[in-house]
Amino acid sequence: MKFENAVSFAKKLDQQDPLRSHRSKFLLPKINGKTAIYFTGNSLGLQPKSTKKFVNEELNDWATLGVEGHFHSKRPWLHYHRFSKKSLAKLVGAKPSEVVAMNQLTVNLHLMMTSFYRPTKTRFKILTEAGAFSSDQYAFESQVKFHGLNPDETIIELSPREREFTLRTEDILRAIEENKNEIALVIFGAVQYYTGQFFDIKKIAEAGHQAGATVGFDLAHAIGNVPMQLHTDKVDFAVWCGYKYLNSGAGGMAGVFVHEKHAQSFELPRFAGWWGHNQKERFQMKKGFKPSAGADGWQLSNFPVLSGAAQLASLEIFDQVGMPALRKKSLLLTGYLEFLLKSIDHFEDYFSIITPSDKNQRGCQLSLLMKINGKKTFDRITKAGVIADWREPDVIRVAPVPLYNTFEEVFLFAQIFANAIR
Ligand SMILES: *Cc1c(COP(=O)(O)O)cnc(C)c1O
């Protein structure tokens, strides 16, 4: 599409947008009484108006049924982990048995690494991207130490080439090949939180497996943002959180994917709890842990129903829209943002877009590396009604979210930003 730098053009795109009605399903934050331009759905997704209804239904059932709610509430609490399976499976390209909502992201990362990071004397290294999200780094480091190994000799962090900001797929594949005798685990953030780079899941999984490693992905910035096919790409495991693009509320339900090939791998070491026990025998309270088949076998505790209810409200919207339509709009929306930013006079004197310009290598987020006046610019756009995200030392992240952001907002943002950098 040929973009135009005009508000009338932006408005026309909004009129033609088949997803435009979904914006009204969300509660939009305000700054000084005016609806903000909210570009931080990558950090905390907005609240669907239906969330209150879903949560209230559980509160009411709790009030009227007490413990009987486990069996007789509208959505029986005993089976709550099942209610999100189909929707989550669609979002990550999996079978329902391969996914389950549980815990928080970092907890899940530890549970997955307990099973799928099994270092031996010769094969013990972890290969990952440099500058991974801090919590992931801490998980890797502490897992390595847990196995009695030295993180400095065990974790390989891949950095971009000099004067480049993102990794080239060919360089990732070469690094896997070069370390093929020593790597036990290859793990990447599917969409890198800082640069917004969307890695080639299929190629990384293939190369990792060829090298004899297991392959995992952190989907914190990918789920609900980009389409994935974890099942056909044969990824071993993945973890995600629910409060970013999934709009499940702060600290909301996280989840895991475990590939079907491991569904019956009952011999895999795992940390167990009663909710992961064979569901037919769960209440016999007997000795001897027998895991459920599939991802369910990694659950520990009974399900946090209030959190889960909030997530169901958002997943209902994702089901109505579907990832293909969402991705289609997302490519246009972010493409338009990129076009407008690059139309700013001498923009390169002020900032670089470090997110890949190839749309297949990014989601909706653009990361702007500020060359001058970074924090000042950020404070100015905040004052002007934009909610964006500042990352030390010098990056502004902006994420126009196709579920609820508009082309006009993208246009207005670009204007505000152009004024703010000078
Ligand atoms: C947001 C995010 C986290 C947060 O971890 P929690 O356990 O949900 O607090 C971890 N890793 C990545 C890559 C993230 O983007």
Side-chain angles (χ1 to χ4, degrees), residues 42-43 104-107 109 129 132-136 189 191 193 218-221 240-244 254 397:
N42 56 347
S43 194
Q104 296 293 319
L105 185 153
T106 310
V107 175
L109 183 53
E129 85 256 24
F133 195 92
S134 59
S135 201
D136 301 49
V191 172
Y193 85 98
D218 181 331
L219 311 183
H221 282 261
W240 59 82
C241 52
Y243 47 83
K244 292 172 181 167
R397 300 186 308 168

Side-chain angles (χ1 to χ4, degrees), residues 164-386:
E164 293 185 10
F165 297 106
T166 50
L167 285 162
R168 299 191 193 192
T169 305
E170 61 197 275
D171 291 353
I172 298 173
L173 303 184
R174 183 166 347 94
I176 292 173
E177 165 70 18
E178 281 169 4
N179 292 283
K180 68 174 176 218
N181 297 322
E182 296 187 320
I183 38 175
L185 174 67
V186 174
I187 184 160
F188 278 78
V191 172
Q192 221 284 341
Y193 85 98
Y194 190 77
T195 64
Q197 179 176 21
F198 180 21
F199 292 112
D200 192 325
I201 293 178
K202 184 181 162 68
K203 284 194 178 147
I204 292 173
E206 252 170 31
H209 289 146
Q210 204 121 61
T214 53
V215 179
F217 283 91
D218 181 331
L219 311 183
H221 282 261
I223 191 165
N225 178 21
V226 290
M228 291 173 280
Q229 289 79 36
L230 298 189
H231 177 81
T232 33
D233 291 349
K234 299 193 177 66
V235 170
D236 291 286
F237 71 89
V239 296
W240 59 82
C241 52
Y243 47 83
K244 292 172 181 167
Y245 295 102
L246 287 195
N247 313 316
S248 309
M253 285 309 305
V256 298
F257 162 90
V258 179
H259 196 279
E260 193 176 44
K261 64 190 165 187
H262 303 300
Q264 309 278 339
S265 303
F266 300 130
E267 75 292 350
L268 275 176
R270 59 180 102 189
F271 291 155
W274 70 322
W275 231 247
H277 192 82
N278 183 325
Q279 285 166 39
K280 286 196 198 90
E281 298 178 12
R282 187 194 284 151
F283 290 98
Q284 293 177 8
M285 312 306 243
K286 276 200 210 133
K287 248 195 191 323
F289 175 67
K290 291 186 206 152
S292 290
D296 289 6
W298 273 267
Q299 294 174 99
L300 296 183
S301 297
N302 75 94
F303 198 92
V305 164
L306 298 179
S307 251
Q311 177 154 75
L312 290 179
S314 175
L315 291 179
E316 187 177 70
I317 302 173
F318 277 97
D319 283 340
Q320 289 161 0
V321 178
M323 272 320 286
L326 209 59
R327 176 65 167 169
K328 201 169 161 200
K329 175 174 174 186
S330 180
L331 291 175
L332 263 187
L333 198 62
T334 296
Y336 191 45
L337 175 60
E338 181 184 37
F339 163 81
L340 293 172
L341 290 173
K342 286 186 170 173
S343 309
I344 298 173
D345 271 347
H346 304 289
F347 80 93
E348 278 162 322
D349 294 344
Y350 301 94
F351 64 93
S352 311
I353 303 176
I354 62 173
T355 307
S357 55
D358 171 6
K359 61 185 179 2
N360 295 316
Q361 290 187 58
R362 67 186 187 203
C364 71
Q365 169 188 325
L366 293 182
S367 302
L368 314 177
L369 177 71
M370 304 307 294
K371 295 179 180 168
I372 49 166
N373 298 337
K375 192 70 197 344
K376 220 186 250 170
T377 300
F378 181 76
D379 292 341
R380 284 180 184 153
I381 62 172
T382 306
K383 249 201 189 133
V386 173

Side-chain angles (χ1 to χ4, degrees), residues 18-58:
L19 305 189
R20 67 184 179 279
S21 66
H22 295 286
R23 176 176 168 87
S24 66
K25 295 178 177 164
F26 290 88
L27 295 160
L28 302 160
K30 293 191 156 79
I31 294 185
N32 300 329
K34 230 183 103 210
T35 299
I37 297 177
Y38 192 82
F39 279 179
T40 36
N42 56 347
S43 194
L44 187 79
L46 290 182
Q47 182 185 147
K49 289 176 182 166
S50 55
T51 303
K52 269 199 184 118
K53 175 175 95 66
F54 274 78
V55 174
N56 274 333
E57 283 171 358
E58 304 307 344

